[in-house]
Amino acid sequence: MTGSARGRTGGSRYGERVPLVAAAVCPHPPLLVPEVAGAAAAELDELRTACDAAVGRLLAASPDQIVLVGAGPETVRFRAADYGSLRAYGVDRHVRLWKTNCGGGERLPLSLTVGAWLLGRAGTDLPRFAQSVAADAAPGECAALGAELVRRAEGRVALLVMGDGSACRGEKAPGYDDPRAQAYDERVARALADADADALHGLDPVLSAELKVAGRAAWQVLAGAAGGRWRGELTHDAAPYGVAYFVATWEPA
């Protein structure tokens, strides 16, 4: 599914020329990591393949660096040697962001841990940095953070944005069934397919929290980063465990 950009152009935060050369959106269920999923790993093979392809398209854009964005308890820019852990999900494994030295700490939230795992799986040697955004941050804060990420970048930057959709798609979903979830996820899917920064920026934080959406704040960071016109492609849209998982890529139009 593809579409043309309808991104904001009315202010410098959205309309100025920025060094963002590509963006990808992926979900961050811990089950994406085969060691965590165990015998159920094959159930997410299609999602895993879509995420790998999205990361591959980021690398094909020849960025000088990759910035990971995902929700966390607070808004933090992490150090290059920081790492995450899968211990809480039954696998005693550290996932490095980039560099390995004694200066790092176990600090990455789940969203960035899974993102770092995807980048490590791709085998890239590119510099990579990680930025969490508070899960309850207001849309304006998220957009401002996105604009700041590309303003302070050195060279060409690609964004890997991690976030799940609603967790209320059916009676077995983590948030049980909510009749509003389907329409919400369809709105997000359209926005990602059309590279529609306005639609992402307009997602309601209150409704998003009620539907247990893990990606709202990170998607709004993307909306703030994406100045100019973009072309989007939605390559995966499913809710296998009652949680919506989207994979999308954005490229300059």
Side-chain angles (χ1 to χ4, degrees):
M1 187 182 300
T2 60
S4 297
R6 293 196 295 268
R8 294 169 176 252
T9 56
S12 61
R13 199 167 55 186
Y14 293 93
E16 65 187 0
R17 185 173 179 82
V18 294
L20 183 63
V21 297
V25 171
C26 292
H28 53 73
L31 292 178
L32 197 63
V33 181
E35 297 95 315
V36 174
E43 295 177 9
L44 291 183
D45 276 350
E46 186 177 339
L47 173 60
R48 209 171 285 116
T49 298
C51 290
D52 288 342
V55 172
R57 288 178 67 169
L58 282 187
L59 300 178
S62 300
D64 297 313
Q65 61 180 264
I66 298 175
V67 177
L68 266 171
V69 177
E74 57 186 348
T75 299
V76 177
R77 183 170 174 84
F78 295 94
R79 295 173 294 183
D82 287 335
Y83 55 90
S85 173
L86 297 171
R87 192 179 304 113
Y89 306 99
V91 175
D92 189 11
R93 174 179 171 183
H94 287 163
V95 180
R96 294 282 175 182
L97 174 57
W98 180 28
K99 295 182 177 179
T100 302
N101 61 39
C102 60
E106 187 180 314
R107 305 177 64 218
L108 300 183
L110 174 63
S111 61
L112 299 179
T113 299
V114 175
W117 176 81
L118 283 173
L119 289 175
R121 179 176 166 92
T124 177
D125 293 326
L126 283 174
R128 65 207 70 163
F129 305 94
Q131 173 75 57
S132 66
V133 57
D136 60 353
E141 296 176 66
C142 299
L145 176 60
E148 178 63 20
L149 285 176
V150 292
R151 268 201 301 264
R152 70 188 181 199
E154 297 182 4
R156 296 160 56 87
V157 63
L159 289 184
L160 178 55
V161 180
M162 308 299 296
D164 301 348
S166 76
C168 299
R169 297 275 294 275
E171 295 181 358
K172 295 184 178 181
Y176 196 62
D177 184 57
D178 191 311
R180 302 171 296 175
Q182 181 79 36
Y184 180 100
D185 290 330
E186 289 175 355
R187 179 183 179 185
V188 173
R190 286 194 301 271
L192 294 175
D194 293 343
D196 190 342
D198 281 326
L200 293 180
H201 184 77
L203 294 173
D204 179 14
V206 174
L207 175 60
S208 301
E210 290 174 351
L211 296 178
K212 301 187 181 302
V213 176
R216 188 274 307 173
W219 299 330
Q220 290 178 332
V221 172
L222 170 60
R229 294 183 60 81
W230 292 80
R231 179 176 57 255
E233 182 176 2
L234 182 69
T235 58
H236 189 88
D237 176 5
Y241 306 123
V243 182
Y245 299 145
F246 308 107
V247 179
T249 56
W250 287 17
E251 299 170 346

